[in-house]
Amino acid sequence: MAYKSTILITGGTSGLGYHAALDMARACPDSQVIVSSRSDKEQVAASINKMLGQSNVVYVPLDLGDLAKVRAYAKDFAVAQHPPIQALVLNAGLQFPGEVKTTVDGLEATFGINHVGHALLFHLLVPYLADNARVVITSSGTHDPEQWSGMPLPVYTSAEELAYPTTEFTASHSGRQRYTTSKLCNVLWAYALARRLSEQVPARGITVTAMDPGLMPGTGLGREAGTVARFLFSKVMPRTIPLMRVLARTDNIHHPSESGAALARLAVGDDDGVRGVTGKYFEGHREIRSSKDSYDVKKQNDLWQWTVESLSGGDEETRKRFDEFR
């Protein structure tokens, strides 16, 4: 079958990503849906196809913690000649409790996977984005100090410090704080990207939004945590969501299927609340304001410039390509 467009989601084989991929595949049977993550042990693509009686979902492995593999992934995408990307959903995310862990490229792993790997993927796939394509980034309400989550508050010093936390101050941050800071980076980068796309290539109509899926017990986000924490998060908490909402005095606690539907809406929904919307932040289905720090243009520009410079390796021609979206 010749598909009219491509929908690509990272972290699409479990939890939030799986449910979003399922909803997008159901809503867009004439689009190729690519689910990408480090592995697909549950054969998710085949499972979705069987469930829907379709064949438009495929799995393509992607390791965001290895920039060489991200580059290879983008090269393979070009060679495969997929139809233009209508929705690029940058959803994958990890947190690493405890001491600092690094990627194969020497980056602090939370920042490297949740931000840098995704940023590189976007820049490499720009030529294959369709006009009016949507870029959707999964962030988290934990990035906002005004939304109490029980998580440590994010601390944005500089992108360089986050990438290479060698000082006593940043190296001593907890793994959970590195996670909330990476989620702040997701929103900072989303706003910086939306602004540059609107200024440089307005005719392409590419939009960028970020979303907080809420607390979702049962997802694989905490798979790097200890045995007891993993058991509570994956087995106990999913059974007590209604009680948790009452005790926490918030309705922003969801089953992954609920948040997956909200993420799919941002990517492929056709209502006025999402069509043409850019540079905005959503809590599930609702557009809301993000944290005060996320609107700090100096922080946005620091993250943007560091990212482009780092990914280009200092080469001026490569830097222009990463910074101009042509």
Side-chain angles (χ1 to χ4, degrees):
M1 177 177 177
Y3 295 106
K4 71 174 186 179
S5 64
T6 297
I7 297 167
L8 194 160
I9 180 170
T10 67
T13 58
S14 65
L16 171 67
Y18 161 76
H19 288 286
L22 173 62
D23 281 6
M24 292 188 294
R26 181 187 290 116
C28 305
D30 54 355
S31 294
Q32 178 86 80
V33 179
I34 299 176
V35 294
S36 291
S37 58
R38 289 182 297 178
S39 65
D40 185 18
K41 296 177 182 178
E42 303 300 321
Q43 302 293 306
V44 162
S47 174
I48 292 176
N49 285 331
K50 183 178 180 179
M51 188 184 309
L52 299 179
Q54 299 172 185
S55 58
N56 61 324
V57 183
V58 297
Y59 166 72
V60 181
L62 171 63
D63 184 353
L64 291 163
D66 186 333
L67 298 183
K69 291 182 179 178
V70 177
R71 294 180 188 277
Y73 177 96
K75 184 177 180 179
D76 290 345
F77 182 92
V79 171
Q81 296 185 323
H82 293 288
I85 300 170
Q86 192 60 49
L88 177 60
V89 185
L90 305 178
N91 164 72
L94 282 175
Q95 59 175 295
F96 300 89
E99 65 184 19
V100 174
K101 295 184 182 296
T102 57
T103 67
V104 297
D105 301 287
L107 298 165
E108 190 281 311
T110 319
F111 181 76
I113 293 169
N114 295 358
H115 168 64
V116 181
H118 275 139
L120 176 60
L121 181 65
F122 166 80
H123 284 292
L124 295 176
L125 294 181
V126 164
Y128 312 106
L129 293 179
D131 287 346
N132 302 311
R134 299 182 193 177
V135 179
V136 184
I137 302 165
T138 300
S139 180
S140 169
T142 63
H143 90 279
D144 187 352
E146 294 187 12
Q147 295 190 37
W148 185 86
S149 65
M151 294 281 279
L153 301 183
V155 178
Y156 188 97
T157 49
S158 70
E160 179 72 13
E161 284 278 347
L162 298 177
Y164 306 105
T166 55
T167 68
E168 182 178 349
F169 176 64
T170 50
S172 65
H173 288 175
S174 70
R176 297 199 308 158
Q177 189 167 55
R178 288 190 286 274
Y179 173 76
T180 61
T181 304
S182 77
K183 295 289 99 178
L184 171 58
C185 290
N186 289 155
V187 187
L188 289 167
W189 189 74
Y191 291 161
L193 174 60
R195 186 170 66 252
R196 284 165 172 79
L197 286 168
S198 296
E199 292 171 353
Q200 295 184 27
V201 285
R204 293 193 65 182
I206 300 171
T207 62
V208 185
T209 52
M211 190 191 98
D212 166 28
L215 176 63
M216 296 175 297
T219 65
L221 180 63
R223 59 185 173 271
E224 301 292 336
T227 303
V228 174
R230 287 201 311 273
F231 175 77
L232 291 173
F233 191 73
S234 63
K235 302 298 183 182
V236 177
M237 292 171 65
R239 301 172 183 269
T240 61
I241 288 177
L243 176 61
M244 290 172 62
R245 288 172 176 163
V246 172
L247 294 177
R249 298 182 181 180
T250 178
D251 60 358
N252 196 25
I253 303 174
H254 305 285
H255 186 276
S257 62
E258 297 172 320
S259 296
L263 186 60
R265 171 178 173 257
L266 282 177
V268 301
D270 197 37
D271 61 276
D272 291 339
V274 295
R275 192 190 317 111
V277 174
T278 192
K280 301 296 182 181
Y281 177 80
F282 286 76
E283 180 183 273
H285 289 275
R286 297 187 302 130
E287 180 187 325
I288 66 171
R289 284 187 65 80
S290 52
S291 70
K292 180 180 178 181
D293 275 358
S294 69
Y295 295 103
D296 187 327
V297 175
K298 288 184 178 179
K299 288 183 172 67
Q300 293 173 14
N301 288 341
D302 173 77
L303 180 63
W304 182 268
Q305 298 301 338
W306 180 92
T307 302
V308 168
E309 190 65 33
S310 177
L311 297 180
S312 66
D315 179 75
E316 186 61 26
E317 287 303 312
T318 306
R319 191 184 192 290
K320 285 182 179 179
R321 188 166 68 250
F322 279 172
D323 213 12
E324 293 184 355
F325 317 112
R326 305 298 179 183

